[in-house]
Amino acid sequence: MATKGAGMANKGPSYGLSRQVQDKIDSKYDPELEQILVEWISRQCSSGVGKPEPGKQGFQAWLKDGCVLSELINSLFAGEKPVKKIQSSPMAFKQMEQISQFLNAAEKYGVTKTDMFQTVDLWEGKDLAAVQRTLSALGSLAVTKDEGTYKGDPNWFFKKAQENKRDFSDEQMKAGKNVIGLQMGSNKGASQEGMSYGRPRQIL
């Protein structure tokens, strides 16, 4: 797949506050993580996806049409592939559609909504750190699930904590209701006996 030009969406320069906000977002982008993600995606999808120019704009241009992302998510599903049609297109809406197919499939795979980037984060280059976050979450899930589809180095991503479900019997649940946490305090057994409030009022 030929690497497309690294041209960002033509929004013109931003000034003042929007410039500061954009600088802050840009500062969260991690060039080291970019190298890991590129290496993983290349291994995961085989050589067909190529590799981008180093740097944020190269990374964005590589992923912008959604095809590489769709190849990536399909490679993590052992059975039926979630993205049925992967087709490169010069048309913006087609590229955005391909990205959103990746996002839907990633959610189906188990990436939480809070870890998801928005289509414009990638397509317009608004927040590529968010794109990195989504791909890292996907990598962590793939390592954690350990279904034999992950083709990278397991040390590249953190294993996600597995849910530790506990089944309690009804008796245990009832017993638990009778325990009152000390920090809550208790008024059981308390009465006003023996309390006096000074001299009774004299009614004349």
Side-chain angles (χ1 to χ4, degrees), residues 17-76:
L17 186 62
S18 63
R19 174 82 253 157
Q20 288 175 327
V21 169
Q22 194 56 51
D23 286 347
K24 193 169 189 173
I25 291 169
D26 289 348
S27 70
K28 291 180 180 168
Y29 185 83
D30 184 345
E32 283 178 36
L33 180 56
E34 176 199 301
Q35 290 175 351
I36 289 172
L37 291 171
V38 166
E39 192 55 45
W40 173 49
I41 294 169
S42 309
R43 276 197 207 178
Q44 192 70 38
C45 303
S46 74
S47 58
V49 296
K51 284 192 178 179
E53 296 283 316
K56 190 169 21 174
Q57 287 176 330
F59 188 68
Q60 185 220 5
W62 188 47
L63 301 177
K64 186 178 173 179
D65 71 359
C67 291
V68 171
L69 293 174
S70 298
E71 294 280 358
L72 173 66
I73 194 69
N74 275 355
S75 74
L76 293 173

Side-chain angles (χ1 to χ4, degrees), residues 101-151:
Q101 282 187 49
F102 159 78
L103 291 170
N104 291 336
E107 197 177 333
K108 202 183 286 181
Y109 190 70
V111 177
T112 58
K113 276 200 183 304
T114 50
D115 283 331
M116 289 289 197
F117 68 84
Q118 302 293 309
T119 302
V120 292
D121 293 336
L122 170 59
W123 203 84
E124 293 181 7
K126 282 202 183 299
D127 188 356
L128 292 171
V131 176
Q132 287 187 321
R133 201 168 48 245
T134 301
L135 292 172
S136 293
L138 187 61
S140 294
L141 258 175
V143 170
T144 307
K145 286 185 170 197
D146 196 20
E147 296 170 332
T149 54
Y150 177 78
K151 294 181 184 144

Side-chain angles (χ1 to χ4, degrees), residues 178-195:
N178 297 331
V179 176
I180 295 171
L182 291 176
Q183 71 270 33
M184 303 227 197
S186 168
N187 65 355
K188 279 194 179 155
S191 76
Q192 289 184 323
E193 196 182 322
M195 291 173 84

